[in-house]
Amino acid sequence: MSPRIVRTVAELRAALAPHRASSIGFVPTMGALHEGHLSLLRAARDENAVVVLSIFVNPTQFGESADLDAYPRTEASDVALAGGAGTDLIFAPSVGEMYPAGFATTVSVGGAITGTLEGALRGRSHFDGVATVVSKLLLAVQPDRAYFGAKDAQQVVVVRRMVADLGIPVEIITCPTSRDADGLARSSRNTRLSPTERELAAAIPRSLRAAQDAFASGIRDPRRLAATVREHLVAAELEPEYVEVVDADSLEPIAQVASPALLALAVRVGPVRLIDNVVLAPGVTDPIPLAPTDRSHP
Amino acid sequence: MSPRIVRTVAELRAALAPHRASSIGFVPTMGALHEGHLSLLRAARDENAVVVLSIFVNPTQFGESADLDAYPRTEASDVALAGGAGTDLIFAPSVGEMYPAGFATTVSVGGAITGTLEGALRGRSHFDGVATVVSKLLLAVQPDRAYFGAKDAQQVVVVRRMVADLGIPVEIITCPTSRDADGLARSSRNTRLSPTERELAAAIPRSLRAAQDAFASGIRDPRRLAATVREHLVAAELEPEYVEVVDADSLEPIAQVASPALLALAVRVGPVRLIDNVVLAPGVTDPIPLAPTDRSHP
C-alpha cells in the first residue's frame, strides 16, 4: 500500500496521535532514496509498529548553493520505494513549513565533534544546519527510535551528542553503510557521477579496505593508516580533501589506535564530493567486501 | 502535603510517567521563591492536573560569577512555599546532572530578539544559556503548559521564539508581573537590597507608571516615553543601564507606538541589577498600582 504523505507538522502529529501508545520508528532523509535508505527503513520496519520517513532537502546544511540546487529531488519514485520497504507515513514539508518567516533558532554542537573532518572543510555551520533540522524533525515526529547510516559518521556523532545533551527522548540507531558490489558507499550524490567517474570512485572503498587490511596486520599508527588510504586514492588519480584517523566518539586526534577509531575521508570525483569511512577497532574485523572484478585494480 | 523532590531526569520521567494522560503544568525557576513564583504555581495549579516546579540556578546564563555566587539558594523554604501553592513534584537537579562531562550543545536564538536590551548589556550568551536550559527542562518535563513571569519580558520572547522554531510541543503562558505594594517588581534579587536601597528602588515602578500615564495621555513617541522614565530614575539618583521602547514581539526599534510596545529598563540599585517593564498597547490600560504612601515621593 502506498504510504500517506503529509506536508505540515500539524498533519504529521494528527496522523501519529492514534499510534502514540505503540512504537514509532523514524528515518530522516533528504530523499533521492537508494538501497542505503531502504536498509534503514527495513531496520525501522523490523523494530517498530509504525514507520515514518521524512524527505526534506535542508537548505541550512548546504554550504554551496550549487550543491543544494544540484541535489536530486525524486519524490514520486521515493514514495514508491518507501512503500515497498514498509513505510507507513511520509513527512515531506516545504522549506517554509520548516523555516517560517522570523525563524531565528539554531541548535549548535561545539568542540572537536564539529570542528574537525567535515566541519573543518564545510564549516561548523553545516553541522548547525544538521543539528537544528534533526532536532526539529525528532520533536515533530517524536519517535521511539531514529535510524541513521554509518556513512555519515560525523553526522551520527553530532546527532547522538545533541540528543543526549538536550535530552530528546529517542533512541538513535546507527545502521551499517550500504555499499555497491565494488564497495562504493551508496549515496544520492552517486547518481551525478559519469560512468568513468563512477569507475574511478571505486578506489575509495579499495583505499579503506587497504587500511583495514593494514590495521588487521597490526599497524596502529594513525599516520601510516591514513597514508595507506592516500596512496590508493592518488594511484587512482583522486585527490582527497582529507583523510583522518580520530577517536570514534570524541573525534579528537589520537596518537595510536588503542580504542575504536574512525578513519574518515572526503574526496572529489568530478563534480561530486564523496565521503566514506570505516571504524577501526582492536579485536573487530568487518572488512569492506569488494567484488572480485574490482580487486584486480591497482 | 510536602511535594516530592527528584534530582535526576530519569527519576523525573519515572515520576511523571503515570500522569502522561493527564495535563502537566510546569514552572521553571532558579529557586529563592517569592510571591511572583507562587502566582505562577497557582496559575499552573488552576489549569493542570499535575504541577511541576524546577529549581536550578543555571550557571550558563550568568555573565558575572559574582552574581552567580550571590544568587540566593533557599531550597528548604522553597519546598515549603511550593507545597503551599499546590506543587506536586519538584525537579532540583545538580549542575552535573544538567551539564555532564562532554556536554557540547547550545540552543541559540539570533537576531534582534537577543541582540537588544539584556542581550546588548549582558551579551547574547546570556540568552544562549536561557534557551539551552529551558529547552532541556521542557524536554525533561514534557509539560502541556509552562508558566513564565512577564517581568523577564525578553526571556519570554526568547522562549516563545525557541519553542515555536524547534516545535517543542508545549503552550507557553505569560503571567503578569507580581509587584509589592509600592509597585516594585518581585525578584529574588530584591532580598539583597538594603532598606535604603529598597526604598530607592520604588522609583522604578513610579517611572514606569509615569510612562504609562504619558502614554494614556496620547504620547506615542518612544523617545519621549523613555525620557519620562529616565527623568524619574535620575530624580531618585538611580542611573539606568538602558531604557528602551521596542516592538513587543520582534523587540526591534520602532518610530512610534502604533502596536503593542515593550518599555523595558535595567537599573543598578546598590549591588543589585534590577529589570522591569510594561507593555504599552493602544486601547489597553493596565496601570501599575502604587501604594498611596509611595505616590507622595517625587
Side-chain angles (χ1 to χ4, degrees):
Chain A
M1 200 183 82
S2 195
R4 182 177 163 205
I5 305 177
V6 293
R7 304 283 177 189
T8 69
V9 174
E11 286 175 284
L12 174 70
R13 290 202 170 128
L16 289 175
H19 305 286
R20 282 288 157 217
S22 66
S23 59
I24 297 173
F26 175 47
V27 179
T29 78
M30 300 209 295
L33 299 191
H34 52 64
E35 177 55 31
H37 299 110
L38 302 184
S39 70
L40 300 179
L41 287 168
R42 285 192 290 262
R45 179 74 280 162
D46 282 351
E47 298 174 0
N48 301 276
V50 176
V51 174
V52 181
L53 165 76
S54 69
I55 298 176
F56 180 62
V57 182
N58 176 35
T60 70
Q61 72 191 70
F62 284 83
E64 304 166 25
S65 64
D67 191 31
L68 172 61
D69 295 342
Y71 204 86
R73 290 160 172 89
T74 57
E75 188 175 289
S77 75
D78 290 347
V79 172
L81 287 168
T87 303
D88 297 301
L89 185 66
I90 296 178
F91 177 49
S94 67
V95 172
E97 172 71 8
M98 292 297 277
Y99 305 114
F103 188 93
T105 302
T106 302
V107 179
S108 187
V109 175
I113 288 173
T114 50
T116 187
L117 308 180
E118 293 296 291
L121 263 286
R122 304 176 72 170
R124 285 185 195 267
S125 67
H126 166 65
F127 287 114
D128 288 354
V130 169
T132 304
V133 79
V134 172
S135 65
K136 281 176 63 72
L137 290 169
L138 291 176
L139 290 169
V141 178
Q142 298 181 267
D144 297 275
R145 300 176 192 88
Y147 297 79
F148 293 83
K151 181 178 78 80
D152 298 307
Q154 189 173 15
Q155 172 175 286
V156 176
V157 173
V158 170
V159 167
R160 285 184 179 277
R161 182 81 258 170
M162 181 270 290
V163 163
D165 285 355
L166 297 185
I168 299 178
V170 62
E171 183 184 356
I172 301 297
I173 294 173
T174 311
C175 297
T177 299
S178 174
R179 298 182 181 279
D180 284 346
D182 64 358
L184 184 67
R186 293 195 170 102
S187 164
S188 306
R189 291 188 174 88
N190 293 358
T191 59
R192 293 166 55 203
L193 298 170
S194 71
T196 310
E197 289 160 353
R198 173 62 189 81
E199 201 172 324
L200 278 176
I204 298 171
R206 284 201 308 275
S207 73
L208 292 172
R209 173 61 184 271
Q212 288 181 315
D213 293 346
F215 183 75
S217 78
I219 295 172
R220 294 291 181 269
D221 178 349
R223 287 163 305 180
R224 282 187 62 192
L225 293 163
T228 300
V229 172
R230 284 180 186 279
E231 283 157 22
H232 274 75
L233 294 173
V234 171
E237 300 195 343
L238 295 178
E239 276 292 331
E241 287 191 356
Y242 64 79
V243 179
E244 293 200 45
V245 180
V246 294
D247 182 84
D249 290 323
S250 70
L251 305 190
E252 305 236 23
I254 51 176
Q256 178 170 307
V257 183
S259 54
L262 178 72
L263 194 172
L265 62 81
V267 59
R268 254 181 211 280
V269 183
V272 185
R273 189 173 179 281
L274 297 176
I275 62 173
D276 201 349
N277 69 83
V278 288
V279 172
L280 302 174
V284 177
T285 47
D286 191 15
I288 297 177
L290 305 171
T293 51
D294 297 285
R295 307 280 318 254
S296 62
H297 283 254
Chain B
M1 201 184 79
S2 194
R4 182 177 164 204
I5 305 177
V6 293
R7 305 282 176 189
T8 68
V9 174
E11 288 175 284
L12 174 71
R13 289 203 171 130
L16 289 175
H19 304 286
R20 282 286 157 218
S22 66
S23 59
I24 297 174
F26 174 48
V27 179
T29 78
M30 299 208 298
L33 298 191
H34 52 64
E35 177 55 30
H37 299 110
L38 302 184
S39 70
L40 299 179
L41 287 168
R42 285 191 290 262
R45 180 74 281 164
D46 283 351
E47 298 174 0
N48 300 277
V50 176
V51 174
V52 181
L53 166 75
S54 68
I55 298 176
F56 180 62
V57 182
N58 176 35
T60 69
Q61 72 190 71
F62 284 83
E64 305 166 27
S65 66
D67 190 31
L68 172 61
D69 296 340
Y71 204 87
R73 288 159 173 87
T74 58
E75 186 175 292
S77 76
D78 289 348
V79 172
L81 287 168
T87 303
D88 297 302
L89 185 65
I90 297 177
F91 177 49
S94 67
V95 172
E97 172 71 9
M98 293 296 277
Y99 305 114
F103 188 93
T105 303
T106 303
V107 179
S108 186
V109 176
I113 288 175
T114 50
T116 186
L117 308 179
E118 293 296 290
L121 263 288
R122 303 175 74 171
R124 284 183 195 266
S125 67
H126 165 65
F127 287 115
D128 288 353
V130 170
T132 303
V133 80
V134 172
S135 64
K136 280 177 62 72
L137 290 168
L138 291 175
L139 291 169
V141 178
Q142 298 182 269
D144 296 277
R145 300 175 192 87
Y147 297 79
F148 293 82
K151 181 178 79 77
D152 298 307
Q154 189 173 12
Q155 172 174 283
V156 177
V157 173
V158 170
V159 168
R160 285 184 180 278
R161 182 81 258 170
M162 181 271 290
V163 163
D165 284 354
L166 296 185
I168 298 178
V170 60
E171 183 184 357
I172 301 298
I173 294 173
T174 312
C175 296
T177 300
S178 174
R179 297 181 181 279
D180 284 346
D182 65 357
L184 184 67
R186 292 195 170 101
S187 166
S188 306
R189 291 186 174 86
N190 293 357
T191 59
R192 293 167 54 201
L193 298 170
S194 71
T196 310
E197 289 160 353
R198 174 61 190 80
E199 204 172 322
L200 278 176
I204 298 171
R206 285 202 308 277
S207 74
L208 291 173
R209 173 62 183 270
Q212 288 182 314
D213 292 346
F215 183 75
S217 79
I219 294 173
R220 294 289 181 270
D221 178 349
R223 287 163 304 178
R224 283 186 63 190
L225 293 162
T228 298
V229 172
R230 285 180 185 279
E231 283 157 22
H232 274 75
L233 294 173
V234 171
E237 302 195 340
L238 294 178
E239 277 291 335
E241 287 191 356
Y242 64 79
V243 179
E244 292 200 46
V245 181
V246 294
D247 182 82
D249 291 322
S250 70
L251 305 189
E252 306 236 22
I254 50 174
Q256 179 171 307
V257 183
S259 54
L262 177 73
L263 194 170
L265 60 81
V267 59
R268 256 182 210 280
V269 184
V272 185
R273 189 172 179 282
L274 297 175
I275 62 172
D276 202 350
N277 69 85
V278 288
V279 171
L280 302 174
V284 177
T285 47
D286 189 16
I288 296 178
L290 305 171
T293 51
D294 297 283
R295 307 284 316 255
S296 62
H297 284 254

